Amino acid sequence: MLLQNKVAIISGASRGIGRSAALTLAEQGASLVIIGTKVHLLEEVADRVKQMGKECVVYTGDVTDQSTAEEVVAKTMDRFGKIDILINNAGINMRSSTLDMEIDDWKRVLDINLNGNLYFSKVVLPVMIKQRSGKIVNVSSSTAKSGHKNATPAYGASKAGVDYLTKHLALEMAKHNIYVNGVSPGPIETDMIKQWTSEYREKVLANIPLNKLGTPKNIADVILFLSSSMSDFITGETINVNGGTYIN
């Protein structure tokens, strides 16, 4: 197993990419601490993980509150004594133009998508520095790189911030043997796209060279790669997983 005896913290783990990442990492041997706001969905994930014979601790909290990160890390250390992997996945999107967007919505999206990543990283990094090891994976979006008028500008701006934070932390933490990378999903079959009309879905598919939407498991597999020893000469990168819709 790629992650035997490893301990991973995953935010936004109740559904979609976070849920799939939790199950994928557990299948590869990791014990988990999963965070979200919907306890019944988190408990469903935890039950699946426990059926695999791995430990899974559920924590309900808001990633925009710095104390959430502090409490999660403290409880993880009490339970496991180490933190090997941090997956910053919690995020939201809204659909509005710049002129229609409320300023409070701008602040909320940036607070969850970007500030939450910073809060968790700042609390986890001292643990990893002491261990002289660790992997952090930040979930971004192709919207950060190419723009998308169907999403609120706050979403793209927040994910562009995630991309820069990934690079900056990677440079700072390399001397401590800590790897910081990201994954940049394109169109993925998650709850976020339930807002799409059938006409819009067909339009999206027509612009994907592989002519299909991605799945949460597609992203989870890249998260696994970046969390494991397979990526031990990669840091500061954000990997595109989008069916060819954005290539660089």
Side-chain angles (χ1 to χ4, degrees):
M1 289 188 178
L2 290 169
L3 302 178
Q4 190 66 45
N5 300 320
K6 300 295 185 181
V7 176
I9 294 174
I10 306 176
S11 69
S14 62
R15 55 191 177 183
I17 290 170
R19 179 182 185 276
S20 188
L23 298 177
T24 299
L25 268 59
E27 286 170 355
Q28 290 297 319
S31 296
L32 305 179
V33 176
I34 57 175
I35 306 115
T37 57
K38 295 180 171 58
V39 66
H40 67 287
L41 295 178
L42 291 172
E43 288 176 347
E44 288 176 6
V45 176
D47 287 344
R48 289 279 304 277
V49 171
K50 290 171 184 175
Q51 288 169 13
M52 300 177 198
K54 306 308 299 181
E55 289 190 72
C56 187
V57 179
V58 168
Y59 189 96
T60 53
D62 187 347
V63 298
T64 68
D65 184 345
Q66 296 180 57
S67 67
T68 297
E70 294 165 358
E71 291 172 14
V72 168
V73 170
K75 289 187 176 183
T76 304
M77 293 300 291
D78 286 344
R79 180 74 170 267
F80 299 105
K82 65 173 184 172
I83 299 168
D84 300 295
I85 301 159
L86 169 64
I87 311 300
N88 285 312
N89 170 69
I92 62 169
N93 190 10
M94 296 182 182
R95 310 284 178 183
S96 67
S97 68
T98 303
L99 295 180
D100 292 334
M101 179 185 64
E102 300 290 339
I103 295 302
D104 283 347
D105 289 341
W106 167 272
K107 292 177 181 178
R108 178 68 175 164
V109 172
L110 264 71
D111 212 11
I112 293 174
N113 295 5
L114 178 57
N115 294 346
N117 285 20
L118 177 65
Y119 298 155
F120 269 84
S121 297
K122 276 181 68 68
V123 183
V124 166
L125 281 170
V127 174
M128 291 182 170
I129 289 170
K130 187 175 181 179
Q131 296 171 172
R132 286 205 54 78
S133 66
K135 300 254 182 172
I136 296 177
V137 182
N138 297 320
V139 178
S140 182
S141 168
S142 58
T143 305
K145 300 177 180 181
S146 60
H148 204 301
K149 65 182 180 181
N150 191 48
T152 180
Y155 183 74
S158 69
K159 294 301 188 178
V162 169
D163 287 355
Y164 177 76
L165 183 63
T166 296
K167 296 173 186 176
H168 190 99
L169 293 179
L171 288 173
E172 277 195 45
M173 294 298 128
K175 64 183 179 183
H176 300 293
N177 196 39
I178 297 168
Y179 302 74
V180 187
N181 290 292
V183 58
S184 182
I188 305 296
E189 289 271 18
T190 67
D191 288 347
M192 280 190 181
I193 69 172
K194 288 181 178 178
Q195 307 165 47
W196 293 0
T197 64
S198 57
E199 292 80 11
Y200 183 76
R201 183 187 179 93
E202 290 304 314
K203 183 179 178 181
V204 171
L205 282 170
N207 289 322
I208 302 173
L210 290 180
N211 196 37
K212 62 180 179 180
L213 294 172
T215 68
K217 187 64 165 65
N218 294 145
I219 308 304
D221 286 341
V222 178
I223 291 172
L224 170 63
F225 167 71
L226 293 173
S227 300
S228 75
S229 60
M230 291 191 294
S231 59
D232 275 358
F233 200 53
I234 301 174
T235 197
E237 292 294 325
T238 296
I239 298 176
N240 296 320
V241 188
N242 56 42
T245 55
Y246 180 87
I247 299 172
N248 68 341

